[in-house]
Amino acid sequence: MSKVVCKTKRIGGGFGGKETRSAFIAAIAAVPSYHLNRPVKLTLDRDIDMMITGQRHSFLGKYKVGFANNGKVLALDLGIFNNAGNSLDLSLAILERAMFHSDNVYEIPNVRVNGRVCFTNFPSNTAFRGFGGPQGMLITENWIQRIAVEVKKRPEEIREINFISDGTLLHYGQLIEHCTLDRLWNELKSSCDWLKAQQEVEQFNLHNRWKKRGVAMIPTKFGISFTTKFMNQAGALVQIYTDGTVLVTHGGVEMGQGLHTKVAQIAASSFNIPLSSVFISETSTDKVPNASPTAASASSDMYGAAVLDACEQIKARMEPITSRHNFSSFSELVNACYMERIDLSAHGFYITPDVGFDWGTGKGSPFRYFTYGAAFAEVEIDTLTGDFHTRRADVYLDLGYSLNPAIDVGQIEGAFVQGLGWVALEELKWGDAAHKWIRPGCLYTCGPGSYKIPSVTDVPFKFHVSLLKVSIMILLPRYLGVLGCPKELKIFTIQCMVFEHIKWGAPNAKAIHSSKAVGEPPFFLASAVFFAIKDAIIAARAEVGCNEWFPLDNPATPERIRMACTDEFTKPFVDSDFHPKLSV
């Protein structure tokens, strides 16, 4: 391995398949390259690529839930099955994360979760953004909604009374700390004017027979860390040159997520120099060896901390020179250090502390911390065609003291729209008993002509993204404490409080500069659209007297929406509990 240098400048958007599915294509190219002693380039057509490299995993959840008459959850017995395909790949780790996230944000006193990886005759499925977490949480939200039907309440009410809080012990033994879920949820309710939105939807549905609207609010928590402990390590190389510029190389791969930008910011702020003075070199195995995959949403945390470690080492060496002279610029300081033969290069290293899980005992702390979020969605469906559009979406996320809010908001927007594809648009059709018009074992949806991914027309008409800030109400007790002070001091205190409200978010002491990871956590929040669609279908079914619970699998394609809207046109063909067969 020391004789092979792999370099990566950047890649296009990568959402999981990059981690392992390149290996067998590389092996195919390597064999003729070795025998012919010449470079070999292998490029797959899109349809071939989609047919052989695997997709995100489909999951099946079987549950038994015990709950009180008010909807308070008492016990959960859950079986999870994921479709691995014809090889194990990362399916076991994906199943594990689904099991870790099978409580979503709910306190469940008694839990048993069993997971199974299923060996099937599909191409090997692989990692995708969320790595099993969204699938586990979607199963949870399905049984939450089923409880709501049983006790005749809104699902949002059931969610609220079962929220976790500080001190909650999760089903795998990790203790919840610094939970911001209630604040997020309340701010979202205020932002979307939840009660008014409900009333307006009810009024619309009363006056429209063939068009229905639905609303939903969905919370999430996503654990940040690799669940495989040894992967939680990162290295970086920082070098300062005599003109005052800084070259940074780290083990992470830039794929449009802004990793290089955040790492450059961390280096620039450490040395107190302009961002333009920091250059991020291509990722290369001769600079930083043995790098973990750029995955699990943890790369900014880990590589940012590794770069900061290297910067701090160099600053410690420079300190004797800095203390003796007053330099007018960073380049002057660097030159003075160079003349004193001070090493201006450092290798930084970081390991995520206090993580680990023992599968023998089923207990541990697999995650360093959690990123919390919540989303509201309002949709309108055409009950005759199954077509839908998202009228509005509001998303709130707690990202601590965001390293770069512009990048993070872009990540949230992208994750939400991508998640919208997962829950409502992207359906795989394979040749099987339910799809006899496709050759057996052949993937029909293998290109843009048949595989529908989100486009500009699928973006919510009104789309609001917000990051959690400190509430003025939280600062109010501090204000009340100065009511007896002189007028000038009270004005000063209030000014300071307003400044704090603007500047500070919700700090996270467990990550670089009190920030939080953003890549995967927002993806699941698009399920608010899925459950808003289901809410609209419930309204359509109520028109014909169908008020019982019914299954709706994702993706909620127009065909499935149409068939779920039971009416006089569908009754001659299917019952109200019709459950279409899936091709997964």
Side-chain angles (χ1 to χ4, degrees):
M1 293 176 74
S2 63
K3 296 179 181 178
V4 178
V5 178
C6 297
K7 299 182 178 183
T8 306
K9 281 189 177 296
R10 62 184 177 273
I11 62 175
F15 304 102
K18 67 189 186 304
E19 199 166 345
T20 60
R21 294 296 84 196
S22 60
F24 67 92
I25 304 298
I28 294 170
V31 172
S33 177
Y34 176 79
H35 285 292
L36 299 175
N37 197 28
R38 59 183 296 178
V40 171
K41 183 177 182 179
L42 179 60
T43 304
L44 301 181
D45 291 337
R46 171 59 62 205
D47 56 341
I48 300 296
D49 182 44
M50 288 189 71
M51 280 191 275
I52 70 175
T53 58
Q55 317 288 329
R56 52 194 162 201
H57 289 70
S58 55
F59 271 69
L60 171 67
K62 295 184 177 182
Y63 55 82
K64 294 179 183 177
V65 184
F67 55 93
N69 290 334
N70 65 350
K72 182 69 176 175
V73 179
L74 304 175
L76 169 66
D77 188 359
L78 177 64
I80 301 179
F81 305 84
N82 79 343
N83 185 347
N86 63 14
S87 79
L88 187 59
D89 191 48
L90 294 169
S91 301
L92 185 59
I94 289 165
L95 176 71
E96 290 173 359
R97 186 171 279 268
M99 294 170 70
F100 285 133
H101 286 76
S102 59
D103 61 339
N104 194 9
V105 295
Y106 308 115
E107 186 170 15
I108 312 169
N110 305 285
V111 183
R112 178 171 63 188
V113 184
N114 286 304
R116 294 287 184 270
V117 176
C118 302
F119 173 51
T120 63
N121 63 346
F122 288 90
S124 185
N125 288 320
T126 191
F128 183 76
R129 192 177 195 165
F131 207 75
Q135 290 96 321
M137 291 185 282
L138 192 62
I139 293 168
T140 302
E141 293 302 335
N142 266 284
W143 58 254
I144 284 286
Q145 189 176 58
R146 190 159 189 178
I147 292 174
V149 172
E150 295 294 330
V151 300
K152 295 180 172 54
K153 290 184 177 181
R154 286 283 314 182
E156 288 74 18
E157 293 181 56
I158 307 301
R159 293 180 178 114
E160 281 189 40
I161 65 173
N162 286 290
F163 277 168
I164 58 171
S165 58
D166 282 350
T168 297
L169 194 66
L170 301 179
H171 60 288
Y172 43 87
Q174 183 159 347
L175 193 69
I176 290 293
E177 300 175 302
H178 312 299
C179 180
T180 55
L181 181 60
D182 279 331
R183 286 166 54 194
L184 277 167
W185 188 257
N186 291 330
E187 287 198 25
L188 178 62
K189 286 178 78 172
S190 174
S191 164
C192 68
D193 201 346
W194 172 243
L195 293 178
K196 183 181 177 183
Q198 269 187 275
Q199 293 166 359
E200 289 178 350
V201 163
E202 288 170 4
Q203 286 300 310
F204 178 88
N205 290 340
L206 281 174
H207 296 93
N208 291 273
R209 174 66 181 92
W210 303 111
K211 287 189 183 294
K212 297 294 180 185
R213 290 180 184 172
V215 289
M217 283 177 61
I218 296 291
T220 188
K221 83 173 189 311
F222 196 90
I224 306 301
S225 286
F226 286 94
T227 52
T228 303
K229 185 176 179 178
F230 72 84
M231 288 185 171
N232 292 289
Q233 57 178 300
L237 179 64
V238 175
Q239 300 169 119
I240 304 179
Y241 295 86
T242 53
D243 61 351
T245 59
V246 178
L247 177 64
V248 176
T249 309
H250 60 86
V253 173
E254 173 63 52
M255 60 191 84
Q257 84 278 40
L259 175 61
H260 282 354
T261 302
K262 288 183 175 181
V263 166
Q265 284 180 261
I266 290 166
S269 64
S270 179
F271 291 122
N272 197 24
I273 57 176
L275 188 61
S276 57
S277 295
V278 180
F279 179 70
I280 307 293
S281 181
E282 62 190 7
T283 306
S284 180
T285 56
D286 62 345
K287 303 295 191 303
V288 181
N290 310 319
S292 296
T294 303
S297 305
S299 297
S300 293
D301 288 0
M302 295 200 306
Y303 293 110
V307 167
L308 185 61
D309 176 48
C311 294
E312 294 298 325
Q313 291 178 44
I314 297 174
K315 285 167 66 178
R317 296 176 201 152
M318 299 168 79
E319 175 59 30
I321 306 299
T322 308
S323 59
R324 291 203 302 265
H325 304 281
N326 187 20
F327 297 100
S328 61
S329 68
F330 184 66
S331 57
E332 277 189 26
L333 168 62
V334 172
N335 265 294
C337 292
Y338 175 71
M339 294 300 176
E340 294 291 331
R341 298 182 297 178
I342 290 173
D343 183 7
L344 297 173
S345 173
H347 169 252
F349 190 69
Y350 176 77
I351 59 171
T352 308
D354 304 322
V355 292
F357 184 80
D358 184 349
W359 281 97
T361 61
K363 299 296 178 184
S365 296
F367 305 115
R368 179 64 173 149
Y369 63 89
F370 297 94
T371 294
Y372 297 94
F376 162 84
E378 179 184 339
V379 304
E380 182 178 311
I381 67 171
D382 185 325
T383 63
L384 292 174
T385 65
D387 189 25
F388 82 94
H389 56 260
T390 308
R391 291 172 44 81
R392 178 180 175 183
D394 288 20
V395 181
Y396 264 81
L397 236 71
D398 168 21
L399 297 183
Y401 296 165
S402 171
L403 293 174
N404 189 315
I407 286 176
D408 288 349
V409 168
Q411 282 283 289
I412 296 167
E413 292 171 340
F416 190 90
V417 174
Q418 190 177 27
L420 179 61
W422 173 57
V423 297
L425 302 172
E426 300 175 47
E427 182 181 27
L428 295 173
K429 292 188 176 73
W430 295 87
D432 55 25
H435 301 81
K436 295 180 180 178
W437 45 277
I438 307 170
R439 191 157 56 89
C442 197
L443 179 66
Y444 173 71
T445 48
C446 58
S450 53
Y451 185 69
K452 176 72 171 72
I453 63 172
S455 63
V456 66
T457 56
D458 298 303
V459 176
F461 294 165
K462 294 181 179 179
F463 196 5
H464 304 120
V465 174
S466 304
L467 305 183
L468 182 66
K469 298 294 181 187
V470 167
S471 168
I472 288 293
M473 292 303 293
I474 292 173
L475 299 174
L476 190 58
R478 290 164 58 180
Y479 170 63
L480 295 175
V482 298
L483 286 179
C485 298
K487 180 180 177 182
E488 294 78 9
L489 183 55
K490 277 195 284 188
I491 293 172
F492 172 74
T493 306
I494 294 169
Q495 287 173 340
C496 289
M497 285 161 45
V498 172
F499 173 75
E500 187 173 1
H501 172 65
I502 294 170
K503 181 177 180 182
W504 301 120
N508 172 39
K510 296 186 176 183
I512 183 76
H513 294 333
S514 295
S515 63
K516 280 193 174 184
V518 68
E520 292 166 303
F523 179 83
F524 174 70
L525 293 178
S527 66
V529 173
F530 176 81
F531 288 103
I533 290 171
K534 194 165 186 180
D535 191 50
I537 296 172
I538 289 170
R541 291 166 67 93
E543 295 255 350
V544 293
C546 291
N547 297 302
E548 71 280 1
W549 183 86
F550 64 96
L552 182 67
D553 296 317
N554 73 303
T557 57
E559 297 90 339
R560 292 183 194 158
I561 294 173
R562 174 64 193 97
M563 294 309 292
C565 293
T566 301
D567 53 37
E568 57 266 38
F569 302 111
T570 62
K571 278 186 176 179
F573 306 102
V574 295
D575 296 328
S576 61
D577 61 350
F578 172 67
H579 197 177
K581 291 182 179 178
L582 291 174
S583 177
V584 293

